[in-house]
Each structure stands twice: as C-alpha cells, then as structure tokens.
Amino acid sequence: MVAIIKCRDYEIDFLRQLEQLHQARRHDWEWTVTRRRDQWSKGSHLLLIASMDRYGCFEITRVGKSVRRRGAKDQEQQLRVTRVRPLRRPLALDGLLDGLTAIQRRHLIEEGQQTKGTGEAIRALLLELRPELTEAVKVIEGATEPWNFGNSRAAQEVALQRDATLAVTRMAGMQAPRLAEWDPPAEELYDDTVPPLFLDLVGGARHADELLDATELDPQDPPIRTKALSNQPALEDHLVTHDTRAMLGWLSEATNHVAWREFREHGRTLLVANANRTPAEQALGCDIIFYNVTRHSLVLVQYKKLDAERGGVYYPNSDRNLAKELVRMRSLDRYAERHAGLADEQRLDPSPSWIKLCHPRSVLPHTTEMIHGMYFSRRQFESLCDDARLKDGRGVRFSYKNVPAYLDNTLFTRLVETGQIGTTGTSTDLVRQQVIRSFSGQRNLVFATLRGEEPPQAERNAQRRQAR
C-alpha cells in the first residue's frame, strides 16, 4: 500500500539531522512521527515523504516504509518510519498527482494512506517520473517485519486463526498471496476482550469504480480475468451467493460478527470465514472446518499449542477440555463411517477428525508461512496416548523429540487437496452441526467451503507450476 506524509518544518529539520548522524555509519535508522489516527487504519506502506520548497509548494524529497505503532493519544497514531531513501531529483507533489484520473483523484487522500487502486496508480506514476527509484522501492516494499505477539492469549488466538486461514487455502490448492499482506494490530491485545478476526486484518479489494477506471474498460465489457485464469470458465455467481448466505446463516446463530473473503482460482471458488464470540481468556483454541462442496468431503482440524515454558511439550492429561473434544471427534468419525458407501471415493484415511499441535513460537512473519506443527488423525493421537515411547514421570507427553511420526503442514494440506484424506458423501447438515458445536465449545472458527471444477491431479499440478 502507498501513503503520503507532509512534513512540517521542524520535522524535516529533524530528518536531516538523522540522515547526517547516521550517514557515516551506513546502517538503517528510524524516525517516529505522530499523525491523526483516522488517516492510518492500516499499518505498512510505501511512504512518500513531502516537504515544502522555497516557494511553499510540497515536493517529494524522500521515500520510506511506514509501520503503524500504538496510539499516542485519543485521536493520534504513532508511525515508525524506516528505510528512508532521498530522491536525487525532488518531485513536485502536485505534478505527480496531476497524472491521476478523475475517479482516482476522487479517492485521493491528501495526507495518509491511499486506497489500493489510487495507491497503485501513484506508485506507477512515481516510477514513471523517477525510474531511478525502482530498486529503492523494491527494497522498501520487500522489507517485511515479523510480528512478535509475546505471551498475550488474545494475540495467540489471532495467530492460530491466521494459521488456520492459510491452511484452508492450501487445502484448496490455492496460492492466496493476499493473505501475506496483513496488518497486525497496532494496539496491545487484552485477554478479556474478543480478539480481532484475522481476515479483518487483511487488505480488501479496491473500489469497483477505481478498478473499472484503472483498466479502462467499458461497463459492457466482460469481467476482468487475470492471465492465469483467462482460459477458465467463471463460476456461477448464484452458487457463490448461496454458499455465502448458508455460511453466514450458520455462523449468525453463534456470533454477531463474521469476517470472510472469497478467493477464485482455476475455475474454483473458496469462501473463507473467521468467527469468534468469546474473550481470549475463555477461548479453548481454534477449529478448522473445511468443506469441499463438489466432492462432499469434510475435514475438521482442532488446534492445540505446545507449551513453550515446558520446552515445547503438550501434556494431554493437563488439558481439561481434551476429553470432551475427543468425544465430539469420535462422534463425528463414527457418523462419517456409518454413512460411507462402497461406491464412495476411496481415501487413505476417510475420517474427518484431526489434531494439530502447534509450535510454541511467539513471532509471525509477514509471509504465507504457517506455524510449524504436527498433525495427527484422531485415531493416531489416541493410539500415541497409549504409546510407552511418549510417557515419562508426569505421564504422556507430545514433543518433537519423542513423537515417532506425524504429518507436517505441506504433507497434510497436500493430502487434503488431492482427496487422499477426508470424508465422502458429507451432507451440509453435518457441516452445520459441526459449526454450531465449535461455538458451543467456545472455540475460534475458521470455516471454508470450496466449490467448482475438480480437474485431474496432473492438471492441478501443471496449474501450480505455471502460477509460480
């Protein structure tokens, strides 16, 4: 994203002092500045730094990277500016903005973060007028910073929800690069409040009229298709609408707020919803419910966290909620087994219930990297609870050091994508029941439905290679 900041005289003087102080040392430095909070609802931007010339007109003299920090006062937001690079040739701000179209100018914000479409247009004009900035802009945009969420339970819930959201896109075989462009909360998260939903922290689509103007399409033209999807038929919109209404209908019984996104790729549509209704101190973890509508296949993943204070170990006997959760999972597995038929598609494991033990990391990168973890089917997990290799003086313990075998992120999501694990013949009533039971158990929920074409695996592999 792109933002503009207009420096006051004392601010530009301070910037010059920082540059002179650190120039000889040749290392990066940072500048902290305060602006109105309503101008900076998202936190990471390619920042155009403007100051007044001797005629009182603003000109862009530097570019950098801004990251939103904690609020300074009620209406003010603190910004951390790094990677500042001076322009060899200052650029008049009005001259740059004159290149915008009428619709883009309508969405222009004089100072602050820009909408996605207007920001992209400003970036393109900047590089057109100052092509020597291309490498600097790439460095600035590529400089991502991890999010250290510490010991906050609320932040850990956001981290698990993020991981589960990434997981369902991989189960669908989709890239979903937008999920790497998320904006961690700038404020401290408190456990006695309901944590924000991860998808609410992900940048949304640009305005429809900006999109139309930016591509110079006639309103009668067909919808925009990217090159990767140009040969794929569009999905029936009424099917997407039906899935969305069903999803929100199931979730509205348990929560008054749902965040969702739609991803389309290779003739398929993935609808992903995040929902939560309880403060972090009451939440019991996160559930994934992944429903492949076309293949009538259901996969449920329940998250558990390895204990960092105990060296990355999970003790089932210390988990007061595990017994009830295993009853729920056994019930689901038995239901799926009873309704399986001889004519159904064969699976390596047709049981829907899985458990992920998450690595006790406290830092998340700004990439599509998932939290490292160990996946077990419900049956395997219960079998390992009776395995002598996992027992010590305190009882059963799961850790990377003693678990004999598990599935990692790549292998598990690939097996779901290729239909090697998951139920067959699943009904929507069963999916609805599991959604409600997740909330009855006071769990975060990441719920996804996949609909559309299911080409052969060889064709999906070819599509994946072409997308890289």
Side-chain angles (χ1 to χ4, degrees):
M1 299 179 70
V2 174
I4 297 172
I5 189 169
K6 295 179 177 178
C7 291
R8 295 131 189 173
D9 289 342
Y10 68 88
E11 290 175 332
I12 203 67
D13 289 341
F14 183 61
L15 263 182
R16 292 192 185 104
Q17 292 176 18
L18 287 174
E19 288 173 332
Q20 293 172 1
L21 178 64
H22 293 280
Q23 186 175 20
R25 301 182 184 179
R26 296 180 177 271
H27 63 244
D28 206 13
W29 46 272
E30 67 178 67
W31 170 47
T32 301
V33 64
T34 302
R35 285 296 186 269
R36 281 173 40 197
R37 184 172 298 182
D38 59 358
Q39 298 171 329
W40 306 87
S41 61
K42 294 287 181 181
S44 179
H45 304 88
L46 168 64
L47 184 67
L48 309 189
I49 302 172
S51 58
M52 281 189 180
D53 62 13
R54 57 182 176 176
Y55 302 108
C57 298
F58 279 101
E59 60 181 6
I60 300 169
T61 56
R62 295 163 179 82
V63 292
K65 181 182 182 68
S66 68
V67 178
R68 187 181 61 165
R69 303 185 77 175
R70 297 182 181 181
K73 297 179 182 177
D74 289 344
Q75 302 299 323
E76 293 186 342
Q77 180 66 56
Q78 199 175 71
L79 304 173
R80 175 174 175 259
V81 182
T82 59
R83 307 274 176 173
V84 176
R85 302 291 184 268
L87 273 66
R88 293 200 301 267
R89 297 180 296 152
L91 175 62
L93 182 58
D94 287 343
L96 173 69
L97 301 181
D98 284 345
L100 298 176
T101 65
I103 292 179
Q104 289 164 350
R105 289 189 69 87
R106 188 188 310 162
H107 294 281
L108 176 68
I109 298 170
E110 292 295 328
E111 183 176 29
Q113 69 179 56
Q114 306 300 317
T115 62
K116 184 175 178 60
T118 300
E120 289 176 351
I122 291 174
R123 180 188 184 279
L125 288 168
L126 174 70
L127 296 183
E128 179 182 339
L129 296 172
R130 294 294 185 270
E132 64 271 17
L133 287 177
T134 301
E135 289 304 316
V137 168
K138 287 182 179 179
V139 169
I140 291 169
E141 292 177 332
T144 56
E145 297 184 18
W147 180 44
N148 189 331
F149 54 83
N151 296 321
S152 166
R153 178 70 183 269
Q156 290 173 14
E157 293 298 321
V158 174
L160 293 182
Q161 204 173 78
R162 169 191 175 275
D163 186 78
T165 303
L166 291 170
V168 294
T169 61
R170 293 191 182 185
M171 292 181 199
M174 294 186 178
Q175 300 294 322
R178 277 184 284 163
L179 296 180
E181 301 172 2
W182 70 297
D183 182 30
E187 306 296 334
E188 184 176 353
L189 298 181
Y190 296 97
D191 295 349
D192 57 354
T193 59
V194 178
L197 301 177
F198 168 68
L199 283 176
D200 273 343
L201 305 176
V202 176
R206 68 176 75 174
H207 294 283
D209 51 357
E210 282 191 80
L211 183 61
L212 182 64
D213 181 77
T215 51
E216 300 181 350
L217 293 179
D218 185 270
Q220 302 301 319
D221 287 345
I224 300 167
R225 312 283 297 168
T226 65
K227 184 176 181 181
L229 306 181
S230 59
N231 296 323
Q232 302 297 330
L235 191 70
E236 292 287 346
D237 285 342
H238 73 272
L239 294 179
V240 176
T241 301
H242 175 271
D243 282 352
T244 304
R245 287 176 177 171
M247 180 184 291
L248 296 179
W250 296 340
L251 294 171
S252 64
E253 297 185 17
T255 182
N256 59 359
H257 177 54
V258 180
W260 76 93
R261 291 287 187 276
E262 172 189 313
F263 303 94
R264 295 195 181 197
E265 191 172 299
H266 304 303
R268 294 175 297 162
T269 295
L270 178 71
L271 291 172
V272 183
N274 290 175
N276 190 16
R277 68 187 177 114
T278 59
E281 61 186 4
Q282 300 174 16
L284 304 178
C286 183
D287 274 352
I288 293 176
I289 297 178
F290 178 76
Y291 182 41
N292 188 325
V293 179
T294 306
R295 304 181 76 162
H296 304 288
S297 180
L298 173 69
V299 173
L300 183 144
V301 183
Q302 192 163 110
Y303 276 67
K304 297 291 182 181
K305 200 160 187 273
L306 298 172
D307 192 335
E309 294 181 359
R310 298 177 179 173
V313 174
Y314 173 70
Y315 288 97
N317 294 339
S318 300
D319 190 339
R320 293 176 296 175
N321 306 300
L322 180 62
K324 292 185 294 185
E325 293 165 345
L326 287 175
V327 169
R328 168 197 174 194
M329 298 173 84
R330 288 191 209 104
S331 173
L332 175 58
D333 288 351
R334 283 197 298 268
Y335 180 98
E337 188 175 0
R338 286 198 307 268
H339 289 78
L342 295 176
D344 289 341
E345 196 172 348
Q346 294 299 305
R347 308 276 198 238
L348 293 176
D349 190 333
S351 301
S353 302
W354 291 77
I355 293 174
K356 178 181 181 181
L357 300 183
C358 295
H359 190 279
R361 65 188 305 177
S362 60
V363 176
L364 289 179
H366 279 222
T367 67
T368 53
E369 179 184 344
M370 294 174 60
I371 297 174
H372 302 303
M374 299 182 281
Y375 293 83
F376 308 96
S377 68
R378 191 266 313 167
R379 286 190 179 93
Q380 182 189 9
F381 180 84
E382 292 187 316
S383 175
L384 288 171
C385 286
D386 295 326
D387 193 322
R389 291 173 293 182
L390 272 67
K391 294 181 179 180
D392 62 9
R394 295 191 52 182
V396 179
R397 61 194 295 270
F398 283 75
S399 74
Y400 280 99
K401 295 179 180 179
N402 67 349
V403 171
Y406 59 88
L407 301 183
D408 61 15
N409 289 321
T410 301
L411 187 52
F412 175 77
T413 55
R414 190 80 169 109
L415 288 173
V416 176
E417 179 205 344
T418 56
Q420 301 301 310
I421 58 178
T423 64
T424 58
T426 299
S427 68
T428 54
D429 284 341
L430 176 60
V431 179
R432 181 176 182 274
Q433 291 171 23
Q434 295 309 310
V435 169
I436 294 173
R437 291 183 74 176
S438 286
F439 278 109
S440 298
Q442 293 185 314
R443 300 183 68 82
N444 266 323
L445 180 64
V446 173
F447 174 41
T449 62
L450 177 66
R451 182 191 287 273
E453 299 178 353
E454 283 288 341
Q457 182 175 337
E459 184 175 335
R460 293 200 301 272
N461 291 344
Q463 291 169 345
R464 179 182 287 103
R465 289 193 294 269
Q466 292 171 2
R468 287 175 179 170

